[in-house]
Amino acid sequence: MAFEDLKKEVNLIISKTQLSAKNRLTEICEALRTSIPYYNWVGFYFANHETQTLHLETYVGTPTDHIIIPFGRGICGQVAVSNENFVVPDVTSQDNYIACGLDVKSEIVIPLFKDGKNIGQIDIDSDSLDPFTKEDEIFLAWVNEQVVTIL
């Protein structure tokens, strides 16, 4: 599915006000994972700035033990500190990588901002090497802009 078509689906999910924010986030994760072949694991982490940790709110894909990640640790933890997108074409090239599964080959993490503060992120793992493009970054930043409206 093209990103433009997927935007319509994300907007439809966002508009389901009868659902909780968490349920809508889960539906967004599922829509992304099933629509984009190289999105094999999709989840949202949210920051606890007091404890300097990220907490997995919802995801779709292979189960993970990484439900709490300290700021600075792994790709997600680094994004919590840098406030910048992080695209990893090959996870084996990263020293500070937390392996979520043996099949994961690449990862993209886009921070989620509310009122100028990094409150979390969308995290996507792929079982393919180097699948993510600038278009993925732009699209996922747009997804986060929609998500923040329900938080």
Side-chain angles (χ1 to χ4, degrees):
M1 178 182 288
F3 288 135
E4 287 307 312
D5 294 330
L6 198 47
K7 283 182 177 183
K8 293 174 189 167
E9 189 170 349
V10 169
N11 278 328
L12 179 64
I13 295 166
I14 292 290
S15 72
K16 293 181 178 181
T17 56
Q18 73 278 14
L19 296 178
S20 69
K22 182 175 181 174
N23 286 343
R24 287 183 272 177
L25 290 174
T26 303
E27 282 196 22
I28 290 169
C29 290
E30 187 63 35
L32 297 182
R33 189 176 67 86
T34 59
S35 299
I36 303 187
Y38 53 93
Y39 285 16
N40 301 110
W41 189 97
V42 180
F44 285 96
Y45 283 92
F46 288 94
N48 180 323
H49 289 280
E50 288 182 21
T51 61
Q52 297 284 290
T53 53
L54 293 165
H55 297 260
L56 184 59
E57 178 70 13
T58 188
Y59 73 95
V60 293
T62 304
T64 180
D65 293 334
H66 304 290
I67 57 172
I68 299 174
I69 299 174
F71 283 14
R73 187 151 151 50
I75 307 307
C76 291
Q78 290 177 75
V79 169
V81 173
S82 73
N83 299 319
E84 295 179 5
N85 298 351
F86 199 161
V87 180
V88 182
D90 180 355
V91 296
T92 63
S93 69
Q94 292 293 312
D95 292 335
N96 188 1
Y97 172 69
I98 301 171
C100 289
L102 297 175
D103 295 330
V104 177
K105 305 242 183 324
S106 57
E107 184 172 6
I108 184 170
V109 179
I110 308 295
L112 176 62
F113 295 97
K114 184 170 184 167
D115 300 325
K117 184 176 184 178
N118 183 344
I119 63 165
Q121 53 202 227
I122 189 169
D123 177 22
I124 299 176
D125 292 343
S126 179
D127 297 346
S128 302
L129 277 173
D130 198 15
F132 303 114
T133 66
K134 190 66 175 172
E135 287 74 28
D136 290 282
E137 284 188 75
I138 292 166
F139 171 69
L140 294 170
W142 177 87
V143 168
N144 281 353
E145 289 169 8
Q146 308 321 299
V147 162
V148 78
T149 67
I150 64 172
L151 301 176

